[in-house]
């Protein structure tokens, strides 16, 4: 497995777009593949603090992806950067890829001077608590009950 920045592997842009669209197209923000691709391009622009990681096999198959997102939830200004869109292709689930991506995203955030990462999850609280994330609140986002969590990066 190889983990790299999508910005350094632009040939995976379409595959990442399709993976996200296929998994979450039932949610309003994920219904339009062209909009997903635009968000990915903006997120991975050279001047952005945000990024997307891709995990690939030695043969170049996309296995998983995850991102640092800027201000997706606009209601609380302090929640500037969020870890999100963590997804593993069905054929590669259960292999610890999400943990590897989260570890690398924390490192990338630290290198970019990000002091706190936020996330929300309906069902992966235990995974994130192992990395030091702390529960902040329960709320509904996109018609889904989620836990909002924070990781302070020192």
């Amino acid at each position: 497995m190889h983990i790299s920045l999508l910005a350094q592997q632009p040939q995976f842009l379409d595959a990442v777009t399709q993976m996200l669209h296929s998994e979450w197209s039932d949610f309003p923000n994920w219904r339009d593949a062209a909009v997903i691709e635009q968000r990915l391009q903006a997120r991975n622009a050279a001047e952005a603090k945000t990024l997307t990681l891709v995990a690939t096999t030695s043969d170049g198959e996309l296995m998983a992806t995850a991102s640092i997102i800027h201000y997706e939830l606009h209601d609380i200004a302090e929640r500037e950067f969020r870890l999100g869109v963590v997804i593993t292709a069905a054929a590669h689930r259960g292999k610890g890829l999400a943990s590897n991506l989260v570890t690398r995203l924390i490192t990338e955030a630290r290198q970019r001077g990000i002091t706190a990462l936020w996330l929300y999850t309906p069902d992966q609280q235990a995974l994130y608590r192992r990395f030091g994330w702390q529960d902040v609140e329960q709320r509904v986002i996109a018609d889904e009950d989620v836990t909002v969590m924070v990781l302070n990066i020192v």
Side-chain angles (χ1 to χ4, degrees):
M1 176 190 62
H2 180 69
I3 297 176
S4 57
L5 296 168
L6 179 60
Q8 296 172 338
Q9 302 288 334
Q11 70 272 22
F12 289 107
L13 178 61
D14 186 55
V16 171
T17 299
Q18 292 309 312
M19 179 184 278
L20 298 173
H21 183 258
S22 294
E23 185 73 17
W24 293 318
S25 61
D26 289 341
F27 294 100
N29 288 342
W30 301 97
R31 289 191 179 133
D32 187 337
V35 172
I36 295 169
E37 184 173 319
Q38 289 170 352
R39 286 196 313 250
L40 286 168
Q41 288 172 333
R43 187 175 298 145
N44 291 282
E47 68 280 0
K49 276 190 165 182
T50 55
L51 61 107
T52 300
L53 293 177
V54 292
T56 57
T57 66
S58 58
D59 296 332
E61 175 189 356
L62 179 63
M63 301 168 72
T65 187
S67 292
I68 294 176
I69 301 165
H70 190 243
Y71 277 126
E72 183 182 34
L73 299 176
H74 301 282
D75 61 335
I76 300 176
E78 294 79 22
R79 298 178 182 182
E80 186 173 6
F81 293 99
R82 182 178 81 79
L83 178 143
V85 295
V86 179
I87 186 169
T88 302
H92 298 286
R93 291 183 181 156
K95 299 177 183 178
L97 295 177
S99 293
N100 291 333
L101 285 171
V102 169
T103 299
R104 174 73 182 271
L105 277 172
I106 293 168
T107 299
E108 294 286 343
R110 186 175 287 117
Q111 290 172 352
R112 286 166 168 73
I114 295 171
T115 59
L117 275 177
W118 295 83
L119 66 81
Y120 60 84
T121 181
D123 59 359
Q124 295 297 317
Q125 295 86 343
L127 167 70
Y128 294 112
R129 287 180 191 127
R130 287 195 302 262
F131 288 99
W133 258 273
Q134 298 175 343
D135 297 30
V136 174
E137 68 174 329
Q138 296 294 128
R139 69 187 282 187
V140 175
I141 298 174
D143 297 325
E144 191 171 37
D145 291 321
V146 300
T147 303
V148 176
M149 305 176 85
V150 65
L151 175 70
N152 292 304
I153 302 172
V154 187

